Amino acid sequence: MKQLKPMLLIYAVLCLLALIVGWSTFGSLNESLSTSMEANSLLIGFDRTTIFDIIHNNKNFISNIIGPIKWIIFLYLIASIFMNSGLLVNIVKGNNSIKTFLQNGWKHFLPFLGFSLITLLVVIVWTAFLFVPYVFILGNPITDYSTELPFLYSFFIVLFLWIIVLIWIFTWSVATKVSYCETPLFWRSLRVGFNTLKINIIKLTIWGIIIFIIHLLLLGVNLILNQMNSAASWTMTILTFVLMQVVVFKKIGVKAFSYSGIYQIVKQSK
């Protein structure tokens, strides 16, 4: 892996943020539950029933957790943009050191923040444009239809269309950032990224679907590991924890892999 060192740094930062979230959540749990015994069942794994009981019996539980976590989420978003900036620019420039990763992240943070906000806005508009009319047209699937099949078929069609356009938006965003790395002009990069998407729409769609499938596979592995974590054995718990860290690191690798693939497609189209 050419970007191994930056990926290890990203992993370390994510671990640090996870520790902060865990410590904050533990403090909120401790404050909300005090000496309550109802949280003991969580020691052997995640239990939805216990969580719902805790929320029902402790009215301040949600507010105690949301308070600190909203700032941690904000910090994560800022750190994510910074790290993704450094990683992508490293790939485009052919660098692989932590020093250039940090320098590139700092140098390109503000323009990449702008690109990310525009991308987020486009995603929100597209989601509302697709699903709001769909909900009104669909009506009530329970009372308006004699069978669930029309609802299921239409939902999967709309979901497929939503995912495909999200892939286009993602690849357009990355192509835009690649253009900015080469020619640092904000609005020009948006236009070049869109033109790149039009020219390479088939290749970029196929590549996006491949990355999406890989993420689904990793999600499936993560769900399996969460089920394994319900076991009371300390050996199994430690093994599951290690495997979960491997999955987290693999997700970072998939991010670098997706950036590299899109960059190669963009470079070949010139």
Side-chain angles (χ1 to χ4, degrees):
M1 297 181 188
K2 292 184 178 180
Q3 301 299 323
L4 180 59
K5 292 179 181 178
M7 286 167 56
L8 288 172
L9 179 59
I10 293 173
Y11 171 77
V13 172
L14 292 178
C15 285
L16 178 61
L17 290 174
L19 286 173
I20 295 174
V21 171
W23 182 262
S24 175
T25 304
F26 174 78
S28 299
L29 276 169
N30 196 41
E31 181 180 346
S32 299
L33 301 180
S34 186
T35 57
S36 172
M37 300 296 292
E38 60 185 339
N40 286 347
S41 60
L42 295 176
L43 294 175
I44 60 173
F46 181 75
D47 188 331
R48 290 181 179 83
T49 303
T50 301
I51 292 294
F52 289 144
D53 289 342
I54 291 173
I55 294 174
H56 177 74
N57 297 327
N58 300 272
K59 303 302 181 183
N60 296 327
F61 177 75
I62 296 296
S63 59
N64 288 341
I65 286 185
I66 289 178
I69 284 185
K70 64 183 180 182
W71 295 109
I72 297 172
I73 292 175
F74 175 77
L75 177 62
Y76 168 77
L77 292 175
I78 297 299
S80 177
I81 294 171
F82 177 87
M83 293 186 295
N84 288 336
S85 302
L87 182 61
L88 178 58
V89 180
N90 254 18
I91 292 172
V92 173
K93 301 292 186 181
N95 300 319
N96 56 15
S97 69
I98 292 179
K99 180 180 179 181
T100 56
F101 168 80
L102 296 173
Q103 290 174 340
N104 291 329
W106 176 256
K107 179 180 178 181
H108 293 83
F109 175 77
L110 287 179
F112 277 34
L113 173 61
F115 292 136
S116 298
L117 292 175
I118 291 174
T119 302
L120 177 62
L121 178 61
V122 173
V123 169
I124 293 173
V125 171
W126 163 239
T127 301
F129 177 80
L130 183 64
F131 282 100
V132 171
Y134 171 70
V135 170
F136 279 104
I137 295 172
L138 178 66
N140 190 327
I142 298 177
T143 59
D144 296 347
Y145 301 91
S146 58
T147 175
E148 299 86 356
L149 290 180
F151 165 71
L152 291 176
Y153 289 150
S154 63
F155 175 76
F156 283 119
I157 291 172
V158 170
L159 182 64
F160 176 77
L161 180 61
W162 181 68
I163 291 172
I164 291 298
V165 176
L166 284 187
I167 288 173
W168 293 344
I169 294 172
F170 169 72
T171 53
W172 163 68
S173 175
V174 176
T176 296
K177 293 171 182 176
V178 169
S179 174
Y180 187 87
C181 293
E182 298 172 342
T183 307
L185 297 173
F186 189 86
W187 298 110
R188 176 188 178 276
S189 298
L190 289 170
R191 186 176 68 254
V192 171
F194 182 72
N195 291 333
T196 302
L197 174 62
K198 288 196 301 182
I199 296 170
N200 302 280
I201 191 165
I202 296 178
K203 289 182 179 180
L204 290 174
T205 302
I206 294 172
W207 184 249
I209 291 173
I210 292 172
I211 298 301
F212 179 72
I213 292 173
I214 293 174
H215 276 293
L216 284 182
L217 292 174
L218 289 176
L219 176 62
V221 172
N222 197 58
L223 291 175
I224 293 172
L225 291 175
N226 280 329
Q227 293 298 321
M228 291 172 58
N229 199 35
S230 299
S233 167
W234 276 105
T235 302
M236 183 60 70
T237 300
I238 294 173
L239 176 61
T240 303
F241 175 78
V242 172
L243 291 175
M244 282 182 171
Q245 302 316 300
V246 173
V247 171
V248 171
F249 191 75
K250 286 291 185 182
K251 289 181 179 179
I252 300 171
V254 171
K255 173 76 75 173
F257 182 60
S258 66
Y259 283 167
S260 179
I262 294 173
Y263 171 63
Q264 293 300 323
I265 293 173
V266 171
K267 187 170 67 172
Q268 291 171 8
S269 67
K270 294 180 179 178

